[in-house]
């Protein structure tokens, strides 16, 4: 059983993330989408809400499970027996940060490889913060977010914006 972990903050999950998860399903027997926090980011959606949104967005993918992690990714990989970390690369600007993470994770968990998948061109400019920014001004985010969660993402963005004001 070859298990891959797709980690990210998913604040919220976008079509770009979903594309990477779908393609990881073609390479591995089981894919765990792992909601983890980047210490430098303050998330708009709670961990549980991010997990629930991913569960709905991946409902048609039987190989996928969703989990949360509040510790080190390397420790999670050891615990679940994962052999790979799968990440999407959108542009050269992603590379330096991802390269550093990959090296650190290899040191902490040599059993797992980091596998980079190139984002397809139609998703390369999408990011969760772009979705939040457009949504917070009432813009149309339907091209960036899976249809099954569109209404909830839009509502969540507006709720957070109201709380912040
Ligand atoms: N398509 C579109 N957008 C994508 C994408 C894709 N395929 N892949 C990533 N992105 C975007 C995300 O939306 C996000 O956008 P934002 O900056 O606007 O929020 C950005 O790229 C980065 O996203 P992500 O890959 O989720 O990275 P992150 O920095 O938010 O999270 C963790 C990184 C959570 C995986 C990392 O911090 C981690 O592993 N934390 C756990 C603790 C740990 O082990 N730390 C040490 C690691 S060495």
């Amino acid at each position: 059983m070859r298990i891959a972990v797709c980690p990210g903050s998913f604040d919220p999950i976008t079509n770009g993330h979903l594309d990477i998860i779908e393609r990881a399903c073609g390479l591995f027997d089981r894919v765990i989408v792992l909601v983890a926090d980047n210490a430098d980011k303050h998330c708009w959606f709670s961990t549980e809400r991010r997990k629930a949104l991913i569960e709905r967005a991946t409902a048609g993918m039987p190989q996928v499970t969703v989990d949360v992690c509040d510790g080190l990714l390397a420790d999670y990989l050891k615990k679940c027996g994962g052999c790979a970390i799968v990440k999407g690369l959108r542009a050269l600007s992603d590379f330096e940060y991802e390269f550093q993470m990959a090296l650190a994770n290899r040191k902490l968990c040599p059993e797992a490889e980091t596998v980079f998948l190139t984002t397809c061109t139609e998703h390369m400019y999408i990011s969760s913060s772009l979705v939040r920014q457009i949504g917070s001004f009432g813009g149309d985010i339907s091209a960036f977010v899976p249809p099954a969660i569109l209404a909830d993402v839009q509502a969540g963005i507006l709720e957070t914006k109201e709380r912040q004001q």
Side-chain angles (χ1 to χ4, degrees):
M1 172 78 87
R2 297 177 70 75
I3 301 173
V5 175
C6 287
S9 42
F10 303 107
D11 186 39
I13 186 169
T14 67
N15 288 335
H17 293 126
L18 208 58
D19 165 57
I20 298 295
I21 295 164
E22 270 173 356
R23 285 158 60 199
C25 287
L27 298 172
F28 298 92
D29 302 310
R30 196 176 145 216
V31 174
I32 302 174
V33 181
L34 189 68
V35 182
D37 281 329
N38 177 335
D40 296 330
K41 291 182 181 173
H42 182 72
C43 284
W44 281 41
F45 290 81
S46 71
T47 308
E48 280 313 311
R49 199 160 180 186
R50 284 179 278 153
K51 178 173 182 271
L53 288 171
I54 301 168
E55 279 168 345
R56 282 185 27 227
T58 59
M61 302 181 196
Q63 279 157 277
V64 174
T65 51
V66 188
D67 201 358
V68 299
C69 164
D70 57 8
L72 280 178
L73 176 60
D75 291 338
Y76 185 89
L77 280 157
K78 286 180 190 160
K79 199 178 72 184
C80 74
C83 66
I85 301 164
V86 175
K87 299 235 49 179
L89 276 188
R90 290 166 300 168
L92 212 57
S93 52
D94 284 343
F95 184 75
E96 202 174 335
Y97 170 73
E98 295 295 351
F99 191 60
Q100 186 185 26
M101 298 261 278
L103 291 176
N105 280 319
R106 175 182 285 179
K107 193 77 184 165
L108 295 169
C109 181
E111 302 90 329
E113 292 288 346
T114 298
V115 177
F116 292 116
L117 299 182
T118 318
T119 310
C120 59
T121 44
E122 69 210 79
H123 297 135
M124 62 187 290
Y125 64 96
I126 304 178
S127 69
S128 300
S129 44
L130 184 87
V131 170
R132 294 194 306 266
Q133 195 182 344
I134 296 171
S136 69
F137 289 106
D140 180 6
I141 56 168
S142 59
F144 313 123
V145 173
I149 60 167
L150 177 61
D152 277 357
V153 170
Q154 183 66 77
I157 291 170
L158 293 175
E159 279 164 31
T160 309
K161 194 183 175 192
E162 264 174 38
R163 266 204 315 275
Q164 287 170 346
Q165 279 169 349

